[in-house]
């Protein structure tokens, strides 16, 4: 087997023919400790990252050249070349320079958009649980090397090709590779009887393949192949063809862009023909017309939209929301319902057991958090749990039927604060519910509890928790050779499988009265917002491994209940209030008890009254139509399983809602995919849900969803703002020329001036609008209709009316100046040029508000202020710098000119502003809650 070396360039492909031990030996690894970190780093340097080769990116120079591919730009180039040969050298060179500067700006915008999109991709890269030097840690999957020991559990994507070394009911869905959608049951055993023949991938049951999905069970495996050597790597070139998805808005804008080109070209032709008709020189008119067309076509729009989306997405990341699919940014702003899990999203997921109940006796447990310090109290007195057999049994089950571990680290306050005290902080690795139970067991320890007596018993089987069964069990072999099934779970689930109860020290049949009493107690605890878990056990006569849970989890002896607190997250209540203000319905969907769910829902302001709660089993008895009707009213769904989520999403969608839905487990993926905005938990979520999701919450926090919705609304509003600005400016530019030619006036602007106007007004100010802070009442509006036209809610009218005013006022300034001094055309053109720029630079502030310019502080967006100042400098430069005057056909302006310019350029915005104040309505935020500041008040930074 000498060819089977780690660094072999031609790795052995038939790993399934070897025993796990042989693979471990061949790869010089270790089945419990994994690789040494240093060795792993050495292998990584040698082998390269565990990544699939990406499809080739567009080289930068093509991105740059693409900026000049536009049809009208090509025409302008040609026209400029002709003017060069006609002897207009200065004109030609300047025009070409302006075109190139424009191209560079476009290139920077596009490169920036591309960079931000790449950063997003990197953020979403998968992680792997790996054992190195005997320590378990999460590392980026790209750093895995052959020989690494990887742990798998339900919901994981297999991070590399693995030879399994352990498999506990491990099932993997390999459709990505084999097309077979049914999960394959995996084993760690060597495949027998292969006789050296090639075994099809689907039958290589002791291997896990990169990119496939663990649907059940747990396991571990040694990495045998990474990157392009994996099975998926071999076919990766087939999969690299997927294009970047564009958002619906981008698609619509592209269509609109094409239409605008046609309109601009038609109007240009009219301008050219009218100009020639009125005696202007043919070539001058042609050059002016083409310049006008280039200026009027908003060629930068798609890039600015991408930049606005990408920058918005980065702002979301800063608020802990990672957008996986760009189109969902738009949908986010339309969300009309947010459905959220309870545990960890609405609550802190920091559980503490506060109550233990059995045989009609309620113990209170003191202590906070995960620190295993606290005592048991009965009727106000501290008691020792050692004396109470049933309590001991509860503590034993809590400890043994549990996969969490409690760890602590010492923190020297001397180091931190310069003081002499040492403190210990406690953490839980694993499920917080189980962590709380570990802490409970530890609080009972040292009192002679069952835990120490049973310290030697070993676990021989586990039936993992799943949210369908709502319970978990283990089988333990005691030192005396007997087997016991220990189980915990939802009270109804345990009771339903119990035949006996440990009641006041005696084993009794579970009578209807006692059953009722237990249920009654569960409700009482739940009504105090406690998360309630029940405990049971079963003494097994004999034991055979591999039996299904259905035959094991019955004939249980019920022991008692524990209640734990899981306080709501502080920021959730205001976030929910904000949702209600914003016309967004909030819904809790939880596997927890109805009464607990209702109590928490009331604490966080999700429900106001009663009767808004529906249970999973009630939902089972409803038709889809009935559910759709209920769905409008229900705020809490309790005791539901993941497939209910799918029905809830569909019911809400059938009512026209745009639904955001959270999830963490594997089974949540269908609901997440079906919802309009699928949201996965970044901390507790599985790879599968994250991949199905549009949005991943880095902090698992409900408030983050609301922040993302707010950003989503803001991004859309900003896109509307710069579309409004760019198009109104273009309408203005076209109309000046159009009316001038129709009226038989001289050219109000020369071609270079038109191009300069385009350059200084389109670029920076439009970009700055893309990062404008939200208007104060963004979250006081109803959600936008998903199919809304971008020009609706008055935007189309605003564009036409402001554009018309800008054009008309520029022409007026031009005409008045020319009228006064008919021989000085350059003077009048300079006034028109500056008026047009000023009108646009003033109008840009109007675009920030859907009401009027007076509704917002003009200094709030400092990027915009700087953009406007720099545009002004660029214009004043070409007017006042002597050397530039002949190039731009400008002349100095006097005081009277400036007075005229300021009045005429201010009129479009101020007239519209006064109209807005009088008739345009008022910001809803002021009416609704004058004092409250929404979080959107932050200054937005790109
Ligand atoms: P959410 O769906 O909001 O996250 P949840 O965490 O309560 O709420 P599940 O995880 O599906 O939902 O849990 C449902 C019920 O199963 C819980 O109310 C509890 O009674 C029980 N349960 C939860 N975790 C465990 C566990 N580790 N072992 C046994 N039973 C559990």
């Amino acid at each position: 087997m000498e060819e089977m070396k780690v660094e072999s360039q031609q790795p052995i492909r038939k790993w399934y023919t070897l025993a796990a031990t042989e693979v471990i030996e061949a790869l010089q690894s270790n089945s419990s400790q994994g690789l040494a970190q240093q060795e792993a780093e050495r292998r990584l340097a040698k082998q390269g990252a565990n990544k699939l080769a990406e499809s080739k990116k567009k080289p930068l120079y093509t991105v740059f050249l693409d900026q000049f591919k536009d049809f009208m730009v090509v025409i302008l180039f040609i026209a400029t070349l002709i003017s060069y040969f006609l002897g207009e050298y200065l004109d030609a060179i300047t025009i070409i320079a302006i075109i190139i500067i424009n191209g560079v700006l476009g290139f920077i915008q596009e490169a920036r958009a591309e960079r931000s999109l790449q950063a997003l991709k990197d953020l979403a890269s998968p992680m792997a649980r790996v054992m190195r030097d005997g320590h378990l840690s999460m590392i980026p999957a790209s750093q895995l090397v052959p020989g690494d020991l990887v742990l798998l559990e339900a919901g994981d994507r297999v991070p590399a090709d693995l030879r399994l070394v352990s498999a506990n009911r491990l099932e993997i869905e390999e459709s990505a590779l084999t097309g077979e959608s049914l999960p394959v049951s995996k084993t760690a055993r060597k495949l027998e009887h292969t006789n050296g023949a090639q075994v099809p991938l689907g039958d290589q049951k002791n291997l896990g393949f990169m990119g496939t999905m663990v649907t059940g069970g747990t396991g571990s495996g040694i990495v045998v192949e990474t990157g392009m050597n994996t099975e998926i790597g071999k076919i990766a070139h087939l999969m690299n063809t997927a294009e970047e998805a564009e958002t619906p808005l981008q698609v619509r804008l592209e269509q609109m862009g094409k239409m605008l080109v046609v309109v601009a070209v038609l109007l240009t032709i009219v301008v050219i023909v009218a100009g020639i008709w009125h005696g202007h020189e043919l070539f001058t008119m042609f050059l002016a017309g083409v310049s006008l067309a280039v200026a009027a076509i908003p060629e930068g729009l798609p890039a600015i939209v991408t930049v606005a989306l990408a920058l918005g997405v980065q702002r979301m990341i800063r608020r802990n929301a990672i957008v996986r699919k760009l189109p969902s940014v738009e949908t986010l702003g339309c969300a009309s319902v947010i459905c959220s899990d309870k545990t960890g999203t609405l609550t802190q997921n920091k559980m503490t057991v506060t109550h233990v109940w059995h045989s009609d006796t309620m113990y209170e447990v003191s202590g906070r958090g995960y620190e295993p310090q606290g005592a048991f109290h009965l009727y106000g007195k501290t008691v020792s749990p050692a004396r109470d057999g049933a309590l001991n049994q509860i503590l034993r089950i809590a400890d043994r039927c549990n996969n969490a571990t409690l760890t602590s680290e010492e923190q020297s306050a001397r180091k931190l604060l310069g003081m002499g005290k040492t403190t210990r902080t406690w953490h839980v690795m694993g499920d917080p519910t189980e962590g709380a139970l570990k802490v409970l067991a530890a609080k009972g320890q040292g009192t002679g509890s069952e835990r120490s007596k049973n310290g030697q018993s070993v676990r021989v089987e586990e039936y993992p928790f799943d949210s369908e069964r709502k319970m978990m069990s283990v089988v333990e072999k005691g030192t005396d050779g007997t087997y016991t099934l220990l189980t915990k779970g939802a009270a109804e689930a345990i009771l339903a499988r119990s035949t006996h109860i440990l009641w006041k020290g005696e084993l009794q049949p579970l009578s209807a009265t006692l059953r009722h009493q237990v249920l009654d107690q569960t409700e009482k605890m739940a009504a105090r917002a406690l998360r309630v878990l029940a405990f049971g056990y079963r003494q097994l006569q004999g034991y055979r491994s591999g039996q299904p849970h259905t035959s094991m989890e019955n004939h249980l002896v019920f022991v008692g209940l524990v209640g734990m607190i899981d306080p709501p997250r502080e920021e959730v209540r205001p976030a929910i209030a904000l949702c209600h203000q914003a016309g967004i319905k909030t819904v809790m969907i939880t596997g927890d008890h109805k009464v607990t769910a209702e109590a928490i829902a009331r604490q966080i302001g999700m429900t106001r009254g009663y009767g808004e709660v529906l249970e999973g089993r009630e939902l089972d008895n409803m038709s889809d139509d009935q559910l759709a009707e209920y769905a409008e009213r229900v705020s809490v769904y309790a005791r539901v399983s993941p497939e209910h989520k799918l029905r809830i999403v569909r019911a809400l969608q059938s009512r026209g809602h745009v639904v955001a839905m959270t999830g963490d487990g594997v089974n949540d993926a269908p609901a997440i995919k079906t919802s309009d905005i699928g949201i996965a938990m970044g901390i507790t979520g599985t790879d599968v849900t994250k991949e199905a999701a549009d949005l991943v919450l880095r902090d698992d926090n409900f408030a983050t969803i609301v922040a993302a919705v707010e950003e989503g609304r803001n991004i859309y509003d900003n896109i509307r703002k710069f579309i409004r600005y760019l198009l109104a400016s273009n309408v203005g530019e076209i109309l000046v020329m159009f009316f001038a030619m129709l009226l038989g006036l001289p050219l109000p602007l020369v071609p270079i001036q038109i191009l300069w106007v385009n350059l200084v007004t389109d670029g920076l100010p439009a970009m700055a609008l893309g990062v404008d802070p939200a208007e104060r009442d963004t979250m006081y509006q109803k959600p936008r209709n998903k199919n809304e036209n971008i020009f609706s809610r008055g935007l189309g009218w605003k564009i036409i009316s402001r554009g018309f005013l800008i054009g008309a006022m520029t022409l007026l300034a031009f005409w008045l100046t020319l009228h006064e001094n008919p021989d000085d055309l350059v003077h009048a053109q300079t006034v028109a040029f500056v008026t047009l720029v000023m009108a646009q630079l003033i109008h840009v502030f109007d675009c920030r508000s859907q009401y009027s310019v007076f509704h917002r502080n003009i200094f709030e967006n400092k990027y915009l202020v700087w953009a406007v100042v720099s545009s002004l400098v660029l214009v004043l430069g070409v007017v006042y710098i002597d050397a530039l005057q002949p190039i731009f056909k400008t002349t100095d302006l006097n005081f009277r000119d400036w007075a005229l310019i300021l009045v005429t350029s201010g009129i479009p915005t101020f007239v519209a502003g006064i109209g807005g104040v009088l008739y345009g309505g008022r910001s809803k935020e002021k009416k609704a809650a004058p004092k409250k500041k929404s979080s959107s008040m932050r200054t937005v930074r790109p």
Side-chain angles (χ1 to χ4, degrees):
M1 225 163 279
E2 73 234 12
E3 70 269 40
M4 216 163 28
K5 290 201 193 101
V6 184
E7 278 106 16
S8 129
Q9 289 304 305
Q10 288 285 304
I12 284 256
R13 297 294 187 198
K14 291 188 183 173
W15 295 103
Y16 54 88
T17 58
L18 306 179
T21 45
E22 290 173 302
V23 174
I24 292 168
E25 200 184 302
L27 295 172
Q28 296 153 22
S29 186
N30 183 300
S31 64
S32 58
Q33 301 280 309
L35 288 177
Q37 180 64 29
Q38 254 184 349
E39 172 61 14
E41 279 163 19
R42 198 185 66 78
R43 289 186 190 185
L44 185 66
K46 186 129 196 154
Q47 296 263 166
N50 174 33
K51 271 190 196 163
L52 299 183
E54 287 194 13
S55 52
K56 273 221 174 86
K57 279 210 203 98
K58 222 158 99 173
L60 282 183
Y61 69 86
T62 44
V63 178
F64 181 67
L65 290 180
D66 279 354
Q67 308 299 321
F68 306 100
K69 259 185 11 199
D70 198 72
F71 176 68
M72 288 318 291
V73 175
V74 174
I75 301 260
L76 184 60
F77 250 121
I78 297 171
T80 316
L81 279 184
I82 297 174
S83 74
Y84 183 86
F85 290 118
L86 291 178
E88 301 280 343
Y89 305 123
L90 212 54
D91 263 20
I93 291 170
T94 317
I95 291 180
I96 301 253
I98 295 177
I99 297 174
I100 291 176
I101 297 174
N102 236 333
V104 170
L105 277 183
F107 168 75
I108 293 172
Q109 282 169 356
E110 225 174 89
R112 180 155 194 190
E114 179 57 37
R115 250 209 339 263
S116 340
L117 293 179
Q118 188 55 43
L120 294 183
K121 267 194 213 148
D122 294 346
L123 252 174
S125 62
M127 305 291 284
R129 257 188 303 278
V130 64
M131 193 69 106
R132 283 188 182 165
D133 286 322
H135 295 296
L136 186 61
S137 59
M138 290 287 271
I139 62 166
S142 61
Q143 289 178 19
L144 287 179
V145 293
D148 259 330
L149 177 61
V150 170
L151 271 64
L152 297 176
E153 62 181 44
D156 287 349
R157 274 259 171 224
V158 178
D161 280 4
L162 311 173
R163 170 62 170 88
L164 298 168
V165 291
S166 72
N168 178 20
R169 292 168 210 283
L170 184 66
E171 295 201 332
I172 301 188
E173 197 253 276
E174 298 180 334
S175 61
L177 212 53
T178 61
E180 172 57 59
S181 58
L182 283 182
V184 182
S185 174
K186 292 286 180 178
T187 167
R189 284 194 296 272
K190 180 175 170 177
L191 294 193
E192 302 294 345
H193 315 302
T194 57
N195 293 333
Q198 184 71 34
V199 173
L201 280 184
D203 293 334
Q204 299 179 10
K205 302 215 164 160
N206 54 15
L207 297 189
F209 299 107
M210 181 168 178
T212 58
M213 195 168 93
V214 183
T215 52
T218 53
S220 62
I222 294 283
V223 174
V224 289
E225 306 285 1
T226 57
M228 293 306 278
N229 286 337
T230 59
E231 292 297 331
I232 199 102
K234 288 192 225 159
I235 56 165
H237 62 282
L238 302 177
M239 305 168 33
N240 264 340
T241 44
E243 289 270 312
E244 282 284 333
E246 285 196 323
T247 77
L249 181 63
Q250 280 174 310
V251 176
R252 263 182 280 151
L253 284 179
E254 235 160 67
Q255 290 162 353
M256 184 188 85
K258 286 191 189 130
M259 206 185 70
L260 286 177
V261 171
V262 176
V263 174
V265 170
L266 285 179
L267 286 176
T268 308
I269 292 173
V270 175
V271 169
I272 296 174
V273 171
I276 296 169
W277 178 265
H278 283 291
H280 290 287
E281 205 182 304
L282 184 119
F283 188 73
T284 316
M285 272 325 294
F286 181 65
L287 200 58
V290 177
S291 307
L292 184 60
V294 168
I297 295 165
E299 69 285 345
L301 198 58
I304 303 186
V305 171
T306 312
V307 172
L309 284 169
L311 291 180
V313 164
Q314 283 174 0
R315 283 200 305 275
M316 287 194 195
I317 293 175
R318 262 183 250 128
R319 297 175 86 177
N320 285 324
I322 299 171
V323 173
R324 293 194 64 252
K325 297 171 191 160
L326 208 52
S328 60
V329 174
E330 278 169 40
T331 332
L332 262 172
C334 310
S336 62
V337 183
I338 303 177
C339 299
S340 170
D341 286 338
K342 170 178 71 72
T343 310
T345 314
L346 296 169
T347 65
Q348 296 177 6
N349 216 5
K350 284 194 190 127
M351 320 246 185
T352 315
V353 174
T354 54
H355 294 80
V356 183
W357 178 90
H358 74 84
S359 318
D360 221 5
T361 309
M362 179 70 88
Y363 288 92
E364 283 178 17
V365 187
S366 59
R368 275 271 177 274
Y370 292 134
E371 192 182 354
Q373 295 289 330
F376 291 74
H377 306 276
L378 193 60
Y379 309 119
K381 284 198 194 128
T382 307
V383 291
S384 157
R387 302 221 190 106
D388 183 335
L391 179 58
N392 265 297
Q393 182 68 331
I394 291 174
L395 296 180
R396 173 189 172 194
I397 301 169
D399 186 49
R400 309 292 298 180
C401 181
N402 196 322
N403 287 326
T405 41
L406 204 56
T407 58
S408 68
E409 67 196 42
E410 219 167 68
Q411 272 183 336
S412 170
R414 181 191 296 280
K415 264 193 225 150
L416 296 172
L417 304 166
M419 287 151 58
K421 229 173 139 194
T422 305
T423 53
R424 214 164 239 292
T425 45
W426 293 84
H427 309 279
V428 160
M429 297 257 290
D431 177 7
T433 302
E434 299 194 345
L437 294 174
K438 274 277 174 201
V439 175
L440 173 76
K443 284 176 184 169
Q445 214 189 2
T447 57
S449 79
E450 285 290 324
R451 186 175 185 272
S452 42
K453 280 192 228 155
N454 283 282
Q456 318 259 313
S457 58
V458 283
R459 183 188 289 191
V460 290
E461 183 93 62
E462 177 189 337
Y463 298 98
F465 170 75
D466 78 62
S467 36
E468 302 274 344
R469 273 173 36 253
K470 301 194 171 28
M471 56 192 288
M472 163 190 176
S473 310
V474 296
V475 178
E476 286 208 331
K477 185 179 181 188
T479 41
D480 52 1
T482 57
Y483 291 92
T484 318
L485 177 102
L486 306 176
T487 185
K488 70 180 196 307
E492 310 93 279
I494 303 289
L495 269 184
R497 291 169 175 78
S498 297
T499 50
H500 288 75
I501 185 167
L502 209 53
W503 189 258
K504 312 221 165 156
E506 277 175 35
L507 190 64
Q508 293 188 16
L510 183 58
S511 65
T513 324
L514 285 177
R515 196 179 286 272
H516 194 77
Q517 199 164 339
V518 173
L519 283 176
D520 200 40
Q521 185 58 42
T522 310
E523 288 220 352
K524 276 190 194 145
M525 289 163 79
R528 294 155 82 171
L530 293 175
R531 182 175 174 79
V532 185
L533 247 73
F535 292 76
Y537 71 96
R538 176 182 173 184
Q539 215 66 57
L540 299 170
Q541 299 308 328
Y543 171 71
R544 207 161 31 86
S545 75
Q547 297 194 59
H549 67 81
T550 41
S551 65
M552 300 293 285
E553 288 174 332
N554 45 42
H555 297 105
L556 302 177
V557 177
F558 187 94
V559 194
L561 303 168
V562 306
M564 49 185 89
I565 48 162
D566 178 16
R569 288 174 180 268
E570 272 173 24
E571 57 283 29
V572 160
R573 205 184 153 88
I576 286 178
L578 194 61
C579 280
H580 292 165
Q581 221 143 44
I584 302 169
K585 182 177 167 61
T586 51
V587 176
M588 176 197 287
I589 302 184
T590 177
D592 213 339
H593 195 282
K594 175 179 174 170
V595 181
T596 312
E598 204 174 7
I600 301 262
R602 229 172 303 121
Q603 283 180 8
I604 56 181
M606 206 175 236
T607 51
R608 287 180 201 118
Y610 293 83
E612 296 173 40
V613 186
L614 203 64
E615 268 192 291
R617 56 193 161 89
E618 294 173 293
L619 211 142
D620 283 332
N621 294 328
M622 281 182 186
S623 69
D624 287 345
D625 287 342
Q626 281 172 320
L627 178 59
E629 220 164 277
Y630 267 90
E632 290 285 357
R633 272 179 284 141
V634 175
S635 303
V636 177
Y637 294 88
R639 284 289 190 239
V640 290
S641 38
E643 78 263 22
H644 288 132
K645 282 191 173 178
L646 189 61
R647 285 193 65 201
I648 297 168
V649 171
R650 294 212 169 116
L652 286 163
Q653 283 174 334
S654 75
R655 288 273 157 162
H657 281 293
V658 175
V659 185
M661 164 72 82
T662 68
D664 46 15
V666 203
N667 305 338
D668 291 338
I672 285 192
K673 271 204 190 120
T674 309
S675 63
D676 300 278
I677 305 146
I679 304 168
M681 300 298 140
I683 304 171
T684 56
T686 55
D687 292 349
V688 179
T689 35
K690 283 184 202 162
E691 282 166 29
D694 302 297
L695 189 75
V696 177
L697 306 181
R698 236 192 217 167
D699 56 357
D700 292 10
N701 189 343
F702 178 85
T704 303
I705 307 176
V706 184
V709 169
E710 188 179 355
E711 287 293 357
R713 289 185 173 197
N714 188 17
I715 291 172
Y716 186 82
D717 283 352
N718 284 354
I719 292 177
R720 270 170 61 97
K721 286 177 197 169
F722 60 69
I723 286 181
R724 173 179 165 187
Y725 168 69
L726 285 177
L727 295 190
S729 300
N730 292 353
V731 168
E733 287 159 21
I734 290 189
L735 289 186
V736 184
M737 299 292 281
F738 186 75
F739 289 138
M741 292 304 101
L742 286 189
L743 296 173
L745 295 174
L747 273 183
L749 299 160
V750 299
I752 289 181
Q753 290 169 345
I754 297 174
L755 292 172
W756 197 247
V757 172
N758 183 44
L759 182 79
V760 300
T761 58
D762 272 16
L764 291 179
M767 293 264 277
L769 276 181
V771 294
D772 202 38
E775 195 154 14
R776 264 191 309 208
D777 62 352
T778 309
M779 287 301 268
Y780 289 80
Q781 315 268 352
K782 283 215 166 61
R784 168 184 105 239
N785 183 335
K786 205 162 106 178
N787 302 318
E788 175 189 288
N789 185 310
I790 186 95
F791 296 115
S792 64
R793 285 185 278 142
L795 198 78
W797 164 247
K798 282 185 179 130
I799 290 171
I800 306 259
S801 58
R802 304 323 191 246
F804 178 86
L805 282 173
I806 291 173
M809 285 302 119
T810 306
L811 199 60
L812 180 68
F814 174 69
W815 185 79
L816 286 175
T817 317
L818 194 65
H819 188 70
E820 204 163 277
N821 194 353
D823 295 332
D824 198 353
L825 181 59
V826 170
H827 186 200
Q829 281 173 332
T830 309
V831 170
F833 169 60
V834 179
T835 308
L836 184 58
V837 173
M838 290 295 292
Q840 296 186 17
L841 294 182
I842 295 173
H843 173 240
V844 75
F845 292 99
D846 188 18
C847 297
R848 297 181 58 229
S849 168
Q850 55 171 326
Y851 305 104
S852 82
V853 69
F854 304 117
H855 279 81
R856 302 203 65 175
N857 170 1
I858 58 168
F859 299 108
E860 190 183 2
N861 180 350
K862 58 179 190 301
Y863 297 101
L864 185 61
V865 173
W866 281 116
V868 167
V869 168
S870 50
S871 295
L872 262 182
V873 170
L874 287 174
V875 169
L876 295 182
V878 301
V879 171
Y880 284 106
I881 296 176
D882 290 347
L884 295 179
Q885 283 182 344
I887 302 177
F888 286 86
K889 317 278 186 298
T890 50
T891 181
D892 288 350
L893 298 172
N894 59 35
F895 181 76
R896 274 189 56 193
D897 296 332
W898 273 108
L900 178 66
I901 289 169
L902 288 179
V903 171
T904 46
S905 62
I907 281 178
T909 296
F910 287 101
V911 168
I914 290 164
V917 171
L918 294 179
Y919 306 108
R922 289 174 53 195
S923 158
K924 290 189 180 150
E925 191 255 358
K926 278 191 183 158
K927 268 192 270 176
K931 279 179 202 142
K932 190 180 175 306
K933 270 191 178 180
S934 103
S935 50
S936 59
M937 292 294 286
R938 295 161 309 98
T939 311
V940 182
R941 266 188 283 135

